Amino acid sequence: MDNEYKKGIYGKGAKIPGLAIARMIGHISYLSEQGMDKKFNRRLEEPSFAAKMSDFEKQFETEFAVEGYLAYQGKKFVDRFDANSYIAITKAMDLFDLGARYGDEKYTEDKSPEKAAEKALQKAFKRVKAEILLVSFSSDWLFSPEQAFDIVQALTINNKDVSYIEIPSIHGHDAFLLEKKTAFENVVLTQAIKNFISHIKV
Amino acid sequence: MYRDIYLKNTYEEIVKLIDADTRVLDLGCGDGEMLFMLYERKNVYGLGLDIDTTEVLKCIKRGVSVVQEDINNGLKKYKDNSFDYVVMSETLQAVKDPDKILKKILKVGKKAIVAFPNFAHYKTRLSILFNGKMPKSNILPFEWYDTPNIHHLTIRDFKDFCKNSGIKILSEVYLGDNGKRIGNTFTNFFAEEAIFLLQKGEDEKKVQIKEISLPFPFKK
């Protein structure tokens, strides 16, 4: 229970641990099991880091390194993000349905909802005029390769120019944020975008 | 370089088999050269599939539509009759279940085009006979341990398979030494590359209704 929530009207200087917890849970979905295992495993938080923690971070369990990391992510987010805008954005994302908005396919009784959604997506993509490059990371389960593939199918049915590349990575959704320029993910992503842009006929 | 000539000539023959303004799916499309030829000459909607990142990037650079996907996963998301042609050039012998893939592409495509190197070519036969080693040739330059080709086959093997599976061969083209087109006689000996245009047989297309067999006293 987030005592500061008050129907979404957070006062100035509220601690907002609710938002931090939401971010911590959300942050896990940007990573992957394999990636987290490699980074944290069962490692305990180093005392030097623990000593530097703010009071805010200390509200959370920080015995394991992964806990300290998530607490830090929670704090970082609360410091720079307004809780109400976060709620609004989340709701807007949840309510957005490309197929329903642009596909206009009625969900009739004789069709399964999956079939209807598929048809709606196909109809929605009829209006596409651009050439499309889709890229996904193999371990991303926020924007999964399967979903990207559904988009590919809906576009190819409509004779659209679409290319799809799946970059193998253990870093989950956040694979696109890797800082090392020589990381495999970055090399392939950069090359794919370069190649895609270089061929486009203006 | 010989391999390039073979591939080029194979692509030329495949392009000739494809009607203009159609939908083409190319399995194992490599760098997209054949699809690019089809775009320019036949105004097709062409989509390539390949598993290799380097090849996929080359396609993107060429402006060839490509999807990075493992054909060995069975093309499950591809619908029946969603393409006019499904092409497998130098790919059939490299997949895990060639029989299943062949049957699948004949469903996804109204027609299929399959091109493969003939393992019963006289040079291959002589190489095994006199060298006693896995044959290498212009079109098969690989060592036994690093070849992508895990299911070598001959023209006779393929024709037998088609016959037994009810697959109709609509057209056949053979390339002999130097990638030149040769006639349709003694092909299993002289052809280094074979190209087939295929279609699902009539009995496969029809919905089969099983006859009910009545017990002895009631038999007609």
Side-chain angles (χ1 to χ4, degrees):
Chain A
M1 181 68 190
D2 181 4
N3 291 325
E4 311 272 348
Y5 180 64
K6 290 169 198 151
K7 291 185 180 165
I9 303 165
Y10 287 91
K12 278 223 164 91
K15 283 182 179 168
I16 340 179
L19 180 63
I21 290 167
R23 180 62 175 182
M24 287 156 74
I25 296 166
H27 195 84
I28 294 170
S29 70
Y30 311 147
L31 311 173
S32 73
E33 189 190 340
Q34 210 186 343
M36 286 178 83
D37 196 42
K38 205 175 165 196
K39 197 167 176 182
F40 305 110
N41 197 270
R42 294 182 54 79
R43 203 155 45 78
L44 298 175
E45 188 61 282
E46 284 174 36
S48 59
F49 283 123
K52 273 189 243 161
M53 273 178 190
S54 65
D55 290 342
F56 185 92
E57 286 166 89
K58 281 177 190 157
Q59 293 178 80
F60 305 100
E61 299 266 345
T62 53
E63 200 169 8
F64 287 100
V66 64
E67 291 172 327
Y69 173 78
L70 289 175
Y72 167 74
Q73 291 296 337
K75 179 184 186 308
K76 206 168 88 176
F77 190 72
V78 167
D79 284 349
R80 68 192 162 93
F81 225 96
D82 172 59
N84 286 307
S85 65
Y86 194 60
I87 291 167
I89 289 171
T90 308
K91 200 41 96 185
M93 281 170 75
D94 288 345
L95 288 172
F96 179 74
D97 183 339
L98 182 78
R101 180 125 163 66
Y102 297 101
D104 187 36
E105 187 76 12
K106 300 282 176 288
Y107 286 66
T108 50
E109 297 247 336
D110 56 337
K111 261 187 270 168
S112 69
E114 289 83 17
K115 268 264 152 62
E118 189 187 306
K119 277 262 147 61
L121 197 63
Q122 283 174 17
K123 210 170 161 192
F125 280 139
K126 261 201 183 111
R127 344 163 132 217
V128 169
K129 285 187 182 145
E131 293 178 39
I132 292 181
L133 172 67
L134 278 160
V135 183
S136 63
F137 295 102
S138 57
S139 55
D140 181 353
W141 54 276
L142 278 184
F143 298 147
S144 67
E146 287 73 28
Q147 285 176 326
F149 210 78
D150 288 342
I151 296 173
V152 169
Q153 288 296 321
L155 285 162
T156 55
I157 289 282
N158 286 311
N159 286 4
K160 302 295 177 191
D161 290 318
V162 56
S163 283
Y164 170 65
I165 187 160
E166 187 181 319
I167 304 177
S169 174
I170 61 158
H171 297 289
H173 183 69
D174 274 359
F176 79 103
L177 289 172
L178 298 180
E179 277 169 19
K180 222 167 93 187
K181 279 204 170 118
T182 52
F184 178 74
E185 290 88 338
N186 281 337
V187 172
V188 177
L189 184 61
T190 310
Q191 199 57 52
I193 294 170
K194 263 189 196 162
N195 288 3
F196 181 66
I197 290 173
S198 74
H199 92 265
I200 288 176
K201 310 130 211 151
V202 184
Chain B
M1 284 306 100
Y2 274 118
R3 190 171 149 77
D4 289 347
I5 294 166
Y6 273 96
L7 288 182
K8 184 104 181 98
N9 289 355
T10 304
Y11 294 160
E12 289 285 350
E13 295 299 335
I14 294 173
V15 169
K16 277 187 216 161
L17 290 172
I18 291 174
D19 290 335
D21 306 310
T22 49
R23 281 170 59 87
V24 181
L25 180 65
D26 185 6
L27 304 185
C29 63
D31 62 8
E33 187 178 345
M34 192 203 68
L35 281 172
F36 191 74
M37 286 161 73
L38 281 169
Y39 287 175
E40 292 208 311
R41 298 188 206 166
K42 298 284 175 105
N43 189 38
V44 301
Y45 174 75
L47 181 70
L49 255 60
D50 212 282
I51 184 68
D52 189 287
T53 302
T54 318
E55 302 286 12
V56 170
L57 287 172
K58 282 184 197 161
C59 287
I60 294 173
K61 184 150 199 178
R62 252 201 181 124
V64 166
S65 292
V66 63
V67 171
Q68 188 167 26
E69 192 184 348
D70 190 350
I71 301 162
N72 288 325
N73 291 341
L75 307 165
K76 287 184 196 98
K77 296 226 175 180
Y78 292 82
K79 301 231 159 60
D80 287 2
N81 292 320
S82 53
F83 285 88
D84 295 299
Y85 301 90
V86 179
V87 180
M88 284 184 93
S89 170
E90 314 306 298
T91 306
L92 183 68
Q93 76 278 4
V95 297
K96 214 161 61 186
D97 301 307
D99 51 339
K100 284 180 196 150
I101 292 287
L102 258 176
K103 284 172 186 165
K104 178 71 182 172
I105 65 170
L106 284 159
K107 283 183 189 158
V108 173
K110 290 168 190 157
K111 286 174 188 166
I113 294 171
V114 174
F116 60 87
N118 174 30
F119 210 65
H121 183 245
Y122 74 90
K123 280 186 189 161
T124 323
R125 299 187 191 209
L126 294 177
S127 170
I128 289 243
L129 190 61
F130 291 114
N131 275 338
K133 295 176 81 172
M134 276 306 275
K136 285 206 277 181
S137 67
N138 300 331
I139 202 156
L140 298 168
F142 310 101
E143 291 290 346
W144 64 271
Y145 47 84
D146 69 356
T147 177
N149 305 320
I150 53 174
H151 285 114
H152 276 302
L153 72 161
T154 70
I155 291 169
R156 195 175 282 171
D157 287 328
F158 187 77
K159 283 188 161 177
D160 281 352
F161 179 83
C162 289
K163 205 174 159 194
N164 297 334
S165 312
I167 297 168
K168 245 188 356 199
I169 296 173
L170 301 178
S171 175
E172 47 202 303
V173 178
Y174 300 100
L175 303 180
D177 292 331
N178 307 318
K180 295 238 171 69
R181 202 172 158 164
I182 57 166
N184 288 8
T185 44
F186 302 113
T187 51
N188 205 28
F189 198 76
F190 289 114
E192 206 158 5
E193 178 81 18
I195 302 151
F196 291 96
L197 177 65
L198 309 166
Q199 196 177 38
K200 215 170 2 183
E202 286 303 318
D203 46 333
E204 282 269 323
K205 273 192 211 162
K206 269 187 276 178
V207 181
Q208 290 188 346
I209 303 161
K210 270 189 191 160
E211 265 182 58
I212 304 160
S213 66
L214 299 166
F216 171 68
F218 308 105
K219 245 180 188 157
K220 275 182 250 174

